[in-house]
Amino acid sequence: MTATTSVDALYRSESRRVLATLIRLLGDFDLAEEALHDAFFVAVQRWPLDGVPANPRAWLVSTGRFKAIDRLRRQARFTPLLQEQADTLEAADWSDQDVEDDRLRLIFTCCHPALAADAQAALTLREICDLTTEEIARAFLATPATIAQRIVRAKGKIREAKIPYQVPSREALPERLDAVLRVIYLVFNEGYSASIGADLTREELTREAIRLGRLLMELLPEPEVMGLLALMLLHESRCPARTSAEGELVLLAEQDRSLWDASLIAEGCALVERALGTRRFGPYCLQAAIAAVHAEAARADETDWPQIVGLYDVLLRAVPSPVIELNRAVALAMRDGPLAGLQQVEGILARGELLDYHWVHSARGEFCRQLGRVEEARAAYAKALSLTQQGPERRFLEQRLQNL
């Protein structure tokens, strides 16, 4: 592997860790981001000549720190207070051997209750997972400009309110947990079903979300943490079967279940049992239980659809949501037939909900197709196609239209 290739690989695997540590050391998001890019720029120049250092992450953190101090000193000619900030940073204790993994610290900062909920998620996806504003906008069904404003406001709030860059005390953790779980799940979802691009999945995001889930599990083994980790593991277990050798989307009912990862299924199901056994479970545990029912069926036609519908009923009472209602409609169609599912989907659309969500139109198209209502199916699939920019999903919908 060449030095240049090493830099590229390290940026993909380590840049968010380096950024998290730089934020801790520098105390400023924007300064840390500039320092991160400066450090990798220097690495591109020097590593081909000097070789890759023994501890690349420590080298990048150290280089970024010094570049930030230099940047502050240059700017101090116009803003004298920056000289004092640079002197303070230079005097702070720092060792190249003292490189912590600060990402859990960063996620709790990004999810601080002083920030608006939508800003928490946007900031975490941007800073921890390196999603672009366009990718985050797709996940939130918002415009890139709106997302950019949320991120800027969130950084400003952290700076002005002097929000501490730390993992909360154990006493304060439960009240902070919901936002953190929601953000981790958003990260996983973006990786499991990428909102845009040529590939269905982004493995680096699902791995990162699962890693964060495991870290959180070590820190706070609460039932909902177990539930979220189980849910992610059970979904991840299907990844080898979700696309064909050509990269095309394969629906759950058509997947080769022998390709599912048995070790992830076993781990996920054990976590579900442990969480449900506490009788203090919530929405993530219920979703994980649904995923476990799917995982326990050796063949698609052995799926216990009545149990899944029952679990969705409980989930809907706990968390009323049109997306959950859509998922229940699909399960209902498997139990009671496509007309039952279609009626539920049309009820969602009649309320004006999920109008820009391509999966609701895809589900309507599928139900209409099964009922022989070809023109309605064609219109629904065409609407779904107009709402997605994801390559395999587009090809799947185009194939459905062609078959009609």
Side-chain angles (χ1 to χ4, degrees), residues 18 22 67 140 209 211 246 280 289 309 338 352 364 378 397:
V18 173
L22 285 170
K67 285 294 182 180
F140 281 104
R211 199 194 78 87
E246 296 76 28
R280 294 187 292 115
V309 172
R364 185 175 186 278
R378 184 177 290 115
L397 292 167

Side-chain angles (χ1 to χ4, degrees), residues 275-302:
L276 294 179
T278 68
R279 299 195 176 278
R280 294 187 292 115
F281 52 84
Y284 292 111
C285 292
L286 289 168
Q287 291 178 76
I290 292 168
V293 175
H294 283 294
E296 290 165 354
R299 299 197 312 269
D301 59 8
E302 295 177 359

Side-chain angles (χ1 to χ4, degrees), residues 165-211:
Y165 189 66
Q166 62 189 27
V167 176
S169 66
R170 179 166 291 276
E171 294 72 24
L173 270 174
E175 66 186 32
R176 298 276 299 277
L177 189 58
D178 285 347
V180 172
L181 293 176
R182 182 171 62 87
V183 169
I184 293 175
Y185 194 36
L186 277 172
V187 173
F188 180 84
N189 279 339
E190 176 60 29
Y192 187 74
S193 184
S195 59
I196 192 170
D199 299 319
L200 181 66
T201 60
R202 296 179 60 186
E203 289 184 17
E204 72 276 12
L205 291 183
T206 56
R207 284 197 305 266
E208 175 66 7
I210 290 171
R211 199 194 78 87

Side-chain angles (χ1 to χ4, degrees), residues 83-340:
Q83 181 63 51
E84 181 180 344
Q85 183 181 354
D87 293 342
T88 300
L89 290 174
E90 188 170 40
D93 290 336
W94 160 251
S95 166
D96 286 3
Q97 305 305 313
D98 181 27
V99 181
E100 302 176 27
D101 188 339
D102 291 290
R103 283 180 291 181
L104 197 58
R105 186 194 308 261
L106 177 55
I107 195 172
F108 272 104
T109 301
C110 292
C111 298
H112 195 278
L115 305 177
D118 54 4
Q120 293 172 358
L123 185 63
T124 303
L125 290 169
R126 178 73 195 97
E127 301 303 326
I128 295 177
C129 302
D130 200 23
L131 269 67
T132 66
T133 53
E134 289 77 12
E135 289 168 327
I136 301 170
R138 291 284 303 171
F140 281 104
L141 302 178
T143 66
T146 298
I147 295 300
Q149 289 171 358
R150 289 178 191 172
I151 292 171
V152 169
R153 283 198 300 267
K155 289 179 181 177
K157 180 73 171 180
I158 290 171
R159 184 171 55 251
E160 294 160 11
K162 294 183 170 54
I163 289 174
Y165 189 66
Q166 62 189 27
V167 176
S169 66
R170 179 166 291 276
E171 294 72 24
L173 270 174
E175 66 186 32
R176 298 276 299 277
L177 189 58
D178 285 347
V180 172
L181 293 176
R182 182 171 62 87
V183 169
I184 293 175
Y185 194 36
L186 277 172
V187 173
F188 180 84
N189 279 339
E190 176 60 29
Y192 187 74
S193 184
S195 59
I196 192 170
D199 299 319
L200 181 66
T201 60
R202 296 179 60 186
E203 289 184 17
E204 72 276 12
L205 291 183
T206 56
R207 284 197 305 266
E208 175 66 7
I210 290 171
R211 199 194 78 87
L212 287 169
R214 291 190 191 281
L215 281 175
L216 198 59
M217 177 74 180
E218 292 175 12
L219 182 69
L220 191 69
E222 287 290 311
E224 278 294 81
V225 178
M226 299 177 205
L228 176 59
L229 180 56
L231 178 60
M232 294 190 295
L233 292 172
L234 290 166
H235 282 326
E236 185 75 358
S237 71
R238 305 175 196 159
C239 278
R242 290 181 65 226
T243 55
S244 67
E246 296 76 28
E248 301 305 319
L249 176 65
V250 180
L251 295 180
L252 178 62
E254 299 165 4
Q255 289 175 13
D256 179 355
R257 300 190 175 207
S258 69
L259 298 176
W260 288 5
D261 190 319
S263 63
L264 292 181
I265 290 173
E267 184 182 1
C269 287
L271 282 168
V272 170
E273 291 183 11
R274 182 178 167 190
L276 294 179
T278 68
R279 299 195 176 278
R280 294 187 292 115
F281 52 84
Y284 292 111
C285 292
L286 289 168
Q287 291 178 76
I290 292 168
V293 175
H294 283 294
E296 290 165 354
R299 299 197 312 269
D301 59 8
E302 295 177 359
T303 304
D304 189 344
W305 289 109
Q307 184 180 4
I308 290 176
V309 172
L311 286 167
Y312 271 124
D313 288 339
V314 178
L315 181 59
L316 264 176
R317 287 197 293 272
V319 188
S321 158
V323 173
I324 294 173
E325 193 175 345
L326 171 62
N327 292 334
R328 180 185 177 278
V330 174
L332 194 66
M334 296 302 296
R335 188 190 74 177
D336 299 341
L339 182 59

